[in-house]
Amino acid sequence: MAKPHIVIEGPDGTGKSTILQTVVAYLQLRGAGKLVDVCAHERATKTPFDLAGARLHLDSSPIIAVCEPTWSGSTEIRRLLDLPEGHPESLGNDPEREALLYAEDRAALFSPDGPAAFARKWGLCLVQSRGVLSTLLYQVDRCAQKRNCSRKEALDWILSLNGNLLELKHPPDLLLILTTNPNIAHARVGEREHPRDGFEKNTELQRQLGALYADPLFLNVYREIGTRHIEFLDTSGTKEATAALCNALLSRVFAPRIETARPLI
């Protein structure tokens, strides 16, 4: 049985990076190998991670961790994210352009040579922070307004973009959606040295987006492609309490499969 593919989603400030580390620790305690943190490497070096040159020992079952946006996909999206809030070229001004750029960036993860596709090809654990669901939440309603069409029509257009098609060919075993009190999320974002953009600092927007994570229009996309588990995790508590909740959730989801003749991990 293939190693798990886990996608972690949630509004800004819900602790996706922290939960990613919790998930990695859980997998390692059950026999997975070292973490190959593509995301951390790319953030630190601002260069794409060369999996081919990493000389991974595949028989040691490494865990591949990826996130969006990447440093191997759209360079334009990185340039735009670095612009100051209110800049006329800001991504928030054009939802269609935003959707296209994120899909282009996503294609780098799931193209045949991308790190996510590499993990799936070789049956490795894949932990992914953000994916198509984020695009749907941030862009479907805004694209529907701009295109003067229904939400379903806007959703279908976004899903037709190549990078999104590539990702959705690989349904995750677990879609883990993080929730928290918007005021707590806002305080966490405020502690960051460089909040990414105005979206992160807009408490009311984050509140609205948090509610959209439970929208059946979006969750049905994952159900229809065969995602086995869609779970919500409240991260409002301390790191220790949240880690305990996360570990209990992972055990509930994966333990029955671990006990089979061919263990998951």
Side-chain angles (χ1 to χ4, degrees):
M1 186 177 292
K3 304 297 192 298
H5 174 192
I6 300 171
V7 175
I8 302 170
E9 286 276 7
D12 293 307
T14 51
K16 289 182 290 297
S17 297
T18 301
I19 291 300
L20 187 149
Q21 295 300 324
T22 301
V23 168
V24 167
Y26 176 91
L27 295 173
Q28 289 176 328
L29 283 173
R30 285 151 184 83
K34 73 173 184 177
L35 172 64
V36 180
D37 197 335
V38 175
C39 184
H41 170 89
E42 293 189 342
R43 284 177 174 170
T45 66
K46 299 186 178 180
T47 60
F49 186 89
D50 181 13
L51 271 173
R55 299 176 182 246
L56 299 180
H57 296 286
L58 299 183
D59 56 355
S60 68
S61 299
I63 304 168
I64 308 297
V66 298
C67 67
E68 299 182 3
T70 71
W71 283 96
S72 53
S74 171
T75 56
E76 178 69 357
I77 202 169
R78 281 291 182 184
R79 183 184 72 82
L80 295 175
L81 285 172
D82 286 338
L83 294 175
E85 184 179 352
H87 192 283
E89 285 191 271
S90 170
L91 276 176
N93 296 335
D94 189 342
E96 290 179 309
R97 183 188 187 197
E98 187 175 342
L100 288 165
L101 287 172
Y102 270 102
E104 176 190 343
D105 188 71
R106 196 165 290 128
L109 284 177
F110 286 92
S111 64
D113 296 327
F118 178 92
R120 297 307 300 262
K121 175 182 177 180
W122 294 104
L124 306 178
C125 297
L126 173 63
V127 185
Q128 175 184 348
S129 178
R130 289 203 184 277
V132 171
L133 184 57
S134 286
T135 284
L136 301 181
L137 266 70
Y138 278 89
Q139 292 142 27
V140 161
D141 288 320
R142 292 159 56 222
C143 282
Q145 183 176 16
K146 181 176 180 181
R147 297 165 73 92
N148 193 27
C149 65
S150 69
R151 297 178 79 220
K152 182 62 168 58
E153 289 171 323
L155 176 130
D156 288 343
W157 173 73
I158 289 173
L159 293 180
S160 73
L161 301 176
N162 182 55
N164 299 334
L165 289 173
L166 286 173
E167 178 175 330
L168 294 177
K169 286 181 180 178
H170 303 278
D173 298 286
L174 170 63
L175 174 62
L176 181 57
I177 301 172
L178 310 185
T179 65
T180 196
N181 181 300
N183 293 323
I184 293 176
H186 180 78
R188 290 173 179 168
V189 169
E191 293 171 358
R192 296 177 183 172
E193 184 178 357
H194 300 293
R196 192 183 69 216
D197 53 36
F199 283 127
E200 289 188 347
K201 296 177 283 187
N202 188 326
T203 305
E204 181 54 34
L205 176 61
Q206 295 301 326
R207 191 188 311 275
Q208 295 169 9
L209 289 170
L212 284 176
Y213 276 98
D215 191 324
L217 179 67
F218 303 144
L219 296 185
N220 284 341
V221 170
Y222 284 84
R223 294 188 179 108
E224 289 170 4
I225 64 172
T227 297
R228 293 174 179 175
H229 301 278
I230 299 175
E231 301 283 346
F232 290 81
L233 177 67
D234 186 353
T235 62
S236 300
T238 64
K239 287 185 178 181
E240 294 76 12
T242 299
L245 289 173
C246 183
N247 285 328
L249 184 153
L250 293 170
S251 293
R252 173 169 56 81
V253 168
F254 291 124
R257 296 169 62 193
I258 292 174
E259 296 168 358
T260 62
R262 294 186 64 195
L264 178 67
I265 300 171

